Amino acid sequence: MFKTAALALPLAAASVAAHAAGSPTIWVGTETKAFLTPEQMRTFAAAPAAQATAGEPEHVVVSLRVRNLKKLEALGRAVNERGNAKYGQFLTPKAFLAEFAPSEAQVQKVVAHLRKSGFVNIRVSKNRLLISADGTVGTVKTAFNTPLVHFRKGERTVVANSAPAQVPEALGDTVLSVLGLQNVTLAHTMAVRGPRTQPKPHAAGTETGHYPLEFGSIYGAASLPSASQTTVGVITIGGAGQATQDLNQFTDANGLAQVNVAAVQTGDPSGNYSDDQEGQGEWDLDSQDIVGAAGGAVNQLIFYEADMDASGNTGLTQAFNQAVSDNAAKVINVSLGWCETDAQADGTVAAEDQIFAAAVAQGQTFSVSSGDEGVYECNNRGYPDGSTYSISWPASSPNVIAVGGTTLFTSSGRWAKETVWNEGLDGNGKLWASTGGVSVVEPVPSWQRALSVSPKPSGRAVPDISFDAAQGSGALVYNYGQIQQIGGTSLSSPIFVGLWARLQSAHANSLGFPASSIYSAVRSTPSLVHDVTSGNNGYSGHGYKATTGWDYPTGWGSFVMSKLASYVSAHPFEQ
């Protein structure tokens, strides 16, 4: 697998020159940059082992550019803005194909390039945004003019591209990025598992575990209808067979009708969609808490299953895209994330942002866990690094709702207080806390420009809102038939999804992407939320502190759903 000779990392310029010497091809860049940087090498404390050999198998997903992204984003604002002539006229997948998707001719040019370079099993997504293909390290070099390098990260042998991915000039206006060239940084779940805890009395109330059906009443949604008219999606890695069994046990135990469940395999038809025992607690948490917070019913729950064996994080990109191109789920839960600067470097941010932009124009809402690492997502996933702060992708996308975490205190089953979720360091020195901060890859969205917080955001600020995430006040869910207590922002996001789905059902699914409206509504009517004003999301004097109004650890805080429902009925609720 490895060459024995010492490796001299190739420079991008030298690589281009060498290729050009034997071919007249003019290469142009994509959004996929060189992933193997000196900074990352120092972070991983590992030296390269060997340049990958030409015959090693590689799978790639090529992201194609939306035609006129600015027009798509403008449409997303228009259809979600009450008073606009296009309000409520959500984009359909058919209209997306006609107006925004890459043309068939563009797709065929890319397919021809891949085939000529040696790729096989070439598959085009139905909205023409993604093309997947199987090849080798050699075909990657031929098609994208970049070498791949092996090195060690901890106990893993990983691979990354040591030069930017490029395409021939004729494809420069079509190919956005090339995904799957690195598996150094992978998305992870945002769940905190532990033993079932005993109630802990505090002056503010009691910290105790909660059954999923309790969250609706705790957050003031008892007067709302269930989400029986709203279809909800859940993004998983691998299969959801066990999660479906556990969900059935949950509904049976609570006297509820079984949920109409569908599972959609979103990547390679021959991929790995088996149940991953480690991940099942996450999908159990998502599905049972969505249904619980939704009042015990949804119209349908669709598991969008990512291929576990997909290269890098391409499986998730394909799962997001499938949920959007299907346009069946009105609200989609994502309890996953990874370092946003790594996501930008390998081209994922560019690829997924346009997928999420299409979702906004279609009136869909992606709800994403902000993260469990406090201010240190990119610092080896939560290991404190002083004042070097970072956040998680895709929570930092302006086209999703980012949901942070609180510690929930109740009294006689009613909401009493919430503080910033921060459990401090575990035995390995890792911080567990609500991720929040400022994006360094996404600009400030228009609806965050008026935030009066210090420091003033220089980029997209995360999170937008927060709900219960502490393991001690976490959800009691069935996992392989046994009750397990689980917290993390993997809990807070599905709580929001279930509550928002109820509001959608109350309004015949006419509500669109709510980010801008959330900010304007809470700014004008602070009583719509439980404002979290105590706690921080850092360690040893670092991180951000909660304060009155919007703050970095918890955003606006948690919704009082009865008040939000009244507000939405009586006021224009725009994007």
Side-chain angles (χ1 to χ4, degrees), residues 312-471:
N313 294 290
T314 58
L316 283 179
T317 305
Q318 291 175 298
F320 298 154
N321 192 55
Q322 187 78 47
V324 174
S325 59
D326 284 354
N327 197 28
K330 187 69 176 178
V331 197
I332 302 105
N333 184 77
V334 182
S335 293
L336 297 147
W338 53 303
C339 171
E340 68 159 4
T341 51
D342 286 342
Q344 182 193 41
D346 82 349
T348 296
V349 166
E352 292 179 355
D353 239 348
Q354 61 180 21
I355 293 171
F356 295 141
V360 170
Q362 292 178 175
Q364 295 175 290
T365 297
F366 275 83
S367 172
V368 182
S369 302
S370 73
D372 297 351
E373 284 72 43
V375 290
Y376 299 117
E377 168 60 41
C378 298
N379 305 80
N380 201 20
R381 279 188 53 189
Y383 288 85
D385 188 16
S387 58
T388 303
Y389 301 162
S390 55
I391 60 175
S392 176
W393 176 266
S396 60
S397 171
N399 296 313
V400 308
I401 300 297
V403 187
T406 68
T407 298
L408 172 65
F409 300 93
T410 54
S411 178
S412 300
R414 299 172 65 87
W415 185 94
K417 184 179 180 179
E418 285 173 282
T419 61
V420 177
W421 170 53
N422 188 333
E423 300 191 10
L425 305 186
D426 64 15
N428 296 317
K430 180 192 179 304
L431 176 66
W432 293 93
S434 175
T435 294
V438 183
S439 173
V440 296
V441 305
E442 293 280 12
V444 181
S446 59
W447 30 270
Q448 286 190 326
R449 290 173 187 161
L451 285 177
S452 56
V453 64
S454 181
K456 193 169 180 62
S458 55
R460 159 70 157 127
V462 170
D464 301 306
I465 53 175
S466 291
F467 289 92
D468 183 28
Q471 198 272 329

Side-chain angles (χ1 to χ4, degrees), residues 100-271:
F100 299 105
S103 68
E104 284 283 6
Q106 288 177 304
V107 169
Q108 290 310 311
K109 283 184 179 180
V110 177
V111 169
H113 174 65
L114 292 172
R115 187 173 290 119
K116 181 180 178 181
S117 300
F119 282 98
V120 296
N121 299 328
I122 301 170
R123 295 173 296 275
V124 181
S125 66
K126 63 183 180 181
N127 64 358
R128 302 201 290 264
L129 283 185
L130 303 177
I131 302 176
S132 62
D134 296 324
T136 65
V137 169
T139 55
V140 167
K141 183 66 166 62
T142 299
F144 306 116
N145 198 34
T146 183
L148 302 180
V149 176
H150 288 295
F151 61 100
R152 298 289 294 177
K153 180 189 176 185
E155 299 300 314
R156 298 169 57 218
T157 298
V158 293
V159 66
N161 54 304
S162 58
Q166 299 177 317
V167 292
E169 187 177 33
L171 301 179
D173 61 350
T174 300
V175 174
L176 179 64
S177 59
V178 182
L179 310 180
L181 302 185
Q182 69 87 19
N183 64 357
V184 179
T185 308
L186 301 176
H188 54 88
T189 60
M190 305 294 191
V192 182
R193 302 167 178 83
R196 186 166 179 175
T197 62
Q198 295 298 313
K200 298 177 183 177
H202 295 265
T206 301
E207 180 184 358
T208 187
H210 299 282
Y211 290 102
L213 283 168
E214 296 180 62
F215 289 116
S217 59
I218 288 172
Y219 287 111
S223 62
L224 287 173
S226 73
S228 62
Q229 304 304 306
T230 302
T231 296
V232 176
V234 175
I235 303 297
T236 71
I237 298 177
Q242 182 62 45
T244 301
Q245 293 182 40
D246 290 332
L247 178 61
N248 291 339
Q249 185 174 2
F250 161 77
T251 53
D252 290 346
N254 288 279
L256 304 172
Q258 280 197 355
V259 177
N260 176 12
V261 172
V264 179
Q265 297 177 356
T266 62
D268 189 336
S270 61

Side-chain angles (χ1 to χ4, degrees), residues 70 72-81 84 360 446 575:
K70 289 188 181 299
L72 177 64
E73 293 171 336
L75 178 63
R77 291 189 293 271
V79 298
N80 291 291
E81 183 177 50
N84 192 296
V360 170
S446 59
Q575 182 205 355

